[in-house]
Amino acid sequence: MPQVIKNYISMTTGHAEALAVLSWVGYLTSLFGNVLLLGCFVDKQEGGATAVQAIGAIANYIMLAQIWLAKLMPSVAFVPLTALMASAAVVNACKFCEAMNSNLGQNLWRGWQDFLGLLGIAMLPQAIWATCSKHHTMVPAYTASVVAVTYLVMARRQQLPGQLQGLWSDIPAWTATLLFMFQPVAQSMSNFSNPSTLEGVSMASLLLGMLGNGLMVPRALFTGDKIWFIGVGWGPLTGWIQLLSLYVAYGVTGVRYLSGFWFSVLTTLLVSISYTVLRLDSQAKGLHSPLQSVQGLFRKQSQPQYIERTM
């Protein structure tokens, strides 16, 4: 929200160019990650998580609308996105209200989920290519789409080995996580390549994003969900990289966008809190090292048993 407000002020005061620092590709991938997870949580009828993803999708769409109004995002990308958002709102609302329980409704929902999965797989490599290369081509998206469609068709016909047969069920979660992870990468690259536009970055939004992700790390460790842990752990790390871009860059007045003092304070806080979280989790599990909490997520083992402590 602070970034939305700052964008509005920049646009209404005739400084729409300040939004050039915002990577519309990054926000687009983040929004699509919201849409993917929204479908997953709606399918499970998890009201709280559904609301969080819906709010995230709306917030990202507002950001993209502002970038589009500033003529920094092509209409060929924004118009289809608007249609997708409208469709997602209708389909997910019908599913959440249990209006798709008939055979036809279930088939429509399954088709919608497959469509989003295919679109997500196509979008991720295309977004990476668009960010890292100045040469425009749709080859990454087409290649990923062909591979995904081939896999889906073979899976539906039971023509895949047993280990690969059920892989599609995890695709939305992994794709959404990777899309979320790419958003700050695209923004960081934009920050370092265009330091003169960093004035348009909202420090409040950046710090709130790091805090929001960081608060979810203990829960991800507790549940043993490695996909969730990778997603929420990546947020503070890439947030720090964006802080670094603000520290090394200078404004028109010759002053750093982020002073050395505050960069040091925020870096120390990030390291200290990360270590404390891992330390407490390892102690609760009876482990000898904080790193064992992370290692345990990627090993096949039973649900960790937490040690009950009495005061």
Side-chain angles (χ1 to χ4, degrees), residues 125-153:
Q126 185 63 40
I128 294 174
W129 178 270
T131 301
C132 301
S133 174
K134 295 182 179 180
H135 177 64
H136 177 71
T137 178
M138 295 296 293
V139 171
Y142 293 150
T143 303
S145 298
V146 170
V147 172
V149 169
T150 301
Y151 170 85
L152 186 58
V153 171

Side-chain angles (χ1 to χ4, degrees), residues 85-192:
M85 283 289 291
S87 301
V90 173
V91 174
N92 285 296
C94 291
K95 178 63 176 179
F96 192 78
C97 296
E98 300 183 351
M100 302 182 73
N101 292 334
S102 64
N103 290 333
L104 176 60
Q106 292 177 3
N107 288 333
L108 288 174
W109 176 251
R110 184 180 181 183
W112 172 254
Q113 290 291 78
D114 287 344
F115 167 73
L116 289 181
L118 293 171
L119 191 57
I121 291 174
M123 180 180 293
L124 182 60
Q126 185 63 40
I128 294 174
W129 178 270
T131 301
C132 301
S133 174
K134 295 182 179 180
H135 177 64
H136 177 71
T137 178
M138 295 296 293
V139 171
Y142 293 150
T143 303
S145 298
V146 170
V147 172
V149 169
T150 301
Y151 170 85
L152 186 58
V153 171
M154 295 181 67
R156 293 287 185 263
R157 294 180 177 180
Q158 303 292 318
Q159 296 177 340
L160 293 173
Q163 294 181 341
L164 298 178
Q165 189 63 40
L167 187 62
W168 186 257
S169 60
D170 293 330
I171 290 296
W174 273 113
T175 304
T177 299
L178 292 172
L179 288 169
F180 280 130
M181 291 173 65
F182 181 71
Q183 190 273 333
V185 172
Q187 185 59 61
S188 297
M189 293 182 65
S190 177
N191 290 358
F192 282 107

